[in-house]
Amino acid sequence: LSLLFTLSLSLSLSGTKKWFDMENKKKSGESFDTFKWTIKDLSKLNTDKIHSQNFSFGGHLWRILVYPKGNNVDYLSIYLDAGNLPVGHSRFTKFKLVLINQVDDKMTKIKETHHMFNAKHSDWGFTSFIPLAEFYDRSKGFIVNDSCIIEAKISGNPKLEKKVYIPVSVKAPSKPIEHDDNPLSLDISAVSISELVDFRGLGKIEKAFVQLLDEVYVKCPSIIECQEKRSRRFREWALTALGRVLHFLKTKKVRDMNEEACNHLQILWEELQTFRFDLTWLEPHVKSALGMKNYLERSAEVKSMKEKVAALEKEMKKLKALVASVEVDIEMARRELVKVEEGFEERDLDGELGYGL
């Protein structure tokens, strides 16, 4: 892997659209470059999703993707879209998505995450960014003069790019997961700086991952020590990628491994493989977890068949009881018939009645 640090960015955009204006600006300190998108005439939008114009950063074109009515949820959904990455290439990027509160800066919504963008998973962000009810409530300050402002802040070190090949032993998902903003039981996609802690001097990572990585380090230090010669930023990305997979396997139950969960684990696994850890010890567990979907499907099929058999057996018992009851009625009717037939003389129903002369 090669790590290319891009420390400057020049954005030049011209023209306006009917629904939005855009501008770019630099931010110092944490080295995030900011792209601002103003969506105008929001109440007149008649579309399920809307893209910003493209903006260039790190030698690649990006854009913001918004679902103003929610992506199948009652939340505003916002993503960063990497667009046209070539098949077989990936780009690891840390970024923030920001919904500006135009009345009170303290109420501005900021969510941060990072993702290995590729041709199959070209957009990433937050399906449940903010409830639609809160977003469209004019008193909340997110919409002023029928306009809202959304920013994408991309790390000043945006590009960790390489061709990525999926091992034959790990099957690619048949259906890619889309826009999962909370894939784990803990929302690690919007972690704040206060939740980042130093891990053995190698870099700052999410607090939830420290104990899991410590266990790996104690049992096999070489797995993590192999990253010591890398840059601090690279180590943080690598340890976070490893922590995500470990946290997934630690917190998920067998019953949780539906198609969506399997697809997400596949994404985490592909990202982790780009950091050149020795993963021979972890791969069997990942493969086993990915295989749980088939197990759950078979288990559900067996359960369904058992319920069907039980229902048929119950119906059969009812029918047997009904047959037994009818047999009793038939026997009683036969006995009554015998009594009625005693002394009964059959006559020709077509014969004359006569009058005795």
Side-chain angles (χ1 to χ4, degrees), residues 20 36 52 56 61 185 191 251-252 264 293 308 344:
F20 46 81
K36 178 183 285 188
S52 71
S56 177
L61 292 178
S185 58
V191 65
T251 58
K252 290 290 185 180
H264 183 72
K293 174 178 173 291
K308 184 176 181 179
F344 175 74

Side-chain angles (χ1 to χ4, degrees), residues 9 45 77 80 83 91 93-94 146 209-210 238 252 273 318 320 335:
L9 174 68
L45 290 177
S77 306
L80 180 65
R91 179 181 292 262
T93 303
K94 179 181 180 182
D146 206 22
F209 301 157
V210 172
K252 290 290 185 180
Q273 288 175 309
K318 290 182 179 179
K320 284 184 176 180
R335 293 177 181 178

Side-chain angles (χ1 to χ4, degrees), residues 45-88:
L45 290 177
N46 187 25
T47 181
D48 292 331
K49 63 181 179 180
I50 182 172
H51 288 92
S52 71
Q53 288 184 352
N54 291 331
F55 60 95
S56 177
F57 182 46
H60 185 72
L61 292 178
W62 304 83
R63 59 183 181 173
I64 302 173
L65 169 61
V66 173
Y67 287 74
K69 300 176 183 178
N71 186 12
N72 298 316
V73 294
D74 293 327
Y75 286 79
L76 182 70
S77 306
I78 310 177
Y79 313 98
L80 180 65
D81 186 356
N84 56 348
L85 280 172
V87 175

Side-chain angles (χ1 to χ4, degrees), residues 130-225:
I130 183 176
L132 290 175
E134 182 178 353
F135 173 63
Y136 284 105
D137 185 343
R138 296 302 195 267
S139 67
K140 299 296 184 182
F142 296 107
I143 299 176
V144 175
N145 295 326
D146 206 22
S147 300
C148 70
I149 302 173
I150 297 174
E151 293 181 345
K153 297 177 180 290
I154 303 180
S155 170
N157 304 314
K159 190 168 70 170
L160 173 59
E161 186 172 349
K162 181 179 174 62
K163 287 187 177 181
V164 178
Y165 301 97
I166 304 174
V168 176
S169 57
V170 181
K171 295 182 179 180
S174 57
K175 180 181 179 183
I177 188 172
E178 296 181 356
H179 316 313
D180 191 354
D181 64 321
N182 187 14
L184 307 182
S185 58
L186 173 67
D187 185 359
I188 60 176
S189 58
V191 65
S192 65
I193 298 300
S194 62
E195 293 173 308
L196 299 177
V197 298
D198 185 76
F199 177 72
R200 297 183 178 269
L202 296 174
K204 290 186 178 297
I205 62 171
E206 282 87 342
K207 185 177 180 181
F209 301 157
V210 172
Q211 183 177 351
L212 300 173
L213 293 173
D214 265 328
E215 293 176 359
V216 173
Y217 185 86
V218 170
K219 294 181 179 179
C220 190
S222 62
I223 294 175
I224 293 179
E225 289 175 349

Side-chain angles (χ1 to χ4, degrees), residues 135-341:
F135 173 63
Y136 284 105
D137 185 343
R138 296 302 195 267
S139 67
K140 299 296 184 182
F142 296 107
I143 299 176
V144 175
N145 295 326
D146 206 22
S147 300
C148 70
I149 302 173
I150 297 174
E151 293 181 345
K153 297 177 180 290
I154 303 180
S155 170
N157 304 314
K159 190 168 70 170
L160 173 59
E161 186 172 349
K162 181 179 174 62
K163 287 187 177 181
V164 178
Y165 301 97
I166 304 174
V168 176
S169 57
V170 181
K171 295 182 179 180
S174 57
K175 180 181 179 183
I177 188 172
E178 296 181 356
H179 316 313
D180 191 354
D181 64 321
N182 187 14
L184 307 182
S185 58
L186 173 67
D187 185 359
I188 60 176
S189 58
V191 65
S192 65
I193 298 300
S194 62
E195 293 173 308
L196 299 177
V197 298
D198 185 76
F199 177 72
R200 297 183 178 269
L202 296 174
K204 290 186 178 297
I205 62 171
E206 282 87 342
K207 185 177 180 181
F209 301 157
V210 172
Q211 183 177 351
L212 300 173
L213 293 173
D214 265 328
E215 293 176 359
V216 173
Y217 185 86
V218 170
K219 294 181 179 179
C220 190
S222 62
I223 294 175
I224 293 179
E225 289 175 349
C226 70
Q227 301 292 336
E228 290 181 350
K229 295 182 180 180
R230 306 287 186 180
S231 69
R232 183 179 182 86
R233 179 62 65 90
F234 187 100
R235 292 197 301 266
E236 289 176 343
W237 286 343
L239 291 172
T240 296
L242 178 57
R244 281 177 178 264
V245 174
L246 296 176
H247 190 274
F248 186 102
L249 297 175
K250 183 71 173 180
T251 58
K252 290 290 185 180
K253 306 296 184 184
V254 172
R255 69 174 67 92
D256 300 327
M257 295 308 294
N258 54 22
E259 182 175 7
E260 182 179 359
C262 287
N263 287 344
H264 183 72
L265 176 58
Q266 181 71 52
I267 293 173
L268 297 182
W269 179 243
E270 291 176 18
E271 293 181 354
L272 176 58
Q273 288 175 309
T274 65
F275 293 101
R276 291 187 176 180
F277 284 102
D278 176 9
L279 300 174
T280 54
W281 58 280
L282 185 58
E283 183 174 355
H285 300 283
V286 174
K287 290 174 63 177
S288 175
L290 291 174
M292 289 302 171
K293 174 178 173 291
N294 292 332
Y295 169 80
L296 289 176
E297 289 176 350
R298 291 295 302 276
S299 177
E301 184 179 1
V302 170
K303 181 180 179 181
S304 177
M305 290 302 298
K306 285 183 176 179
E307 291 175 349
K308 184 176 181 179
V309 170
L312 290 174
E313 289 178 341
K314 185 176 181 180
E315 185 66 21
M316 183 176 66
K317 289 181 179 179
K318 290 182 179 179
L319 292 175
K320 284 184 176 180
L322 179 60
V323 169
S325 176
V326 171
E327 287 178 342
V328 171
D329 291 341
I330 291 174
E331 182 61 29
M332 293 179 63
R334 284 174 177 169
R335 293 177 181 178
E336 289 296 327
L337 176 60
V338 171
K339 292 180 180 180
V340 172
E341 286 181 335

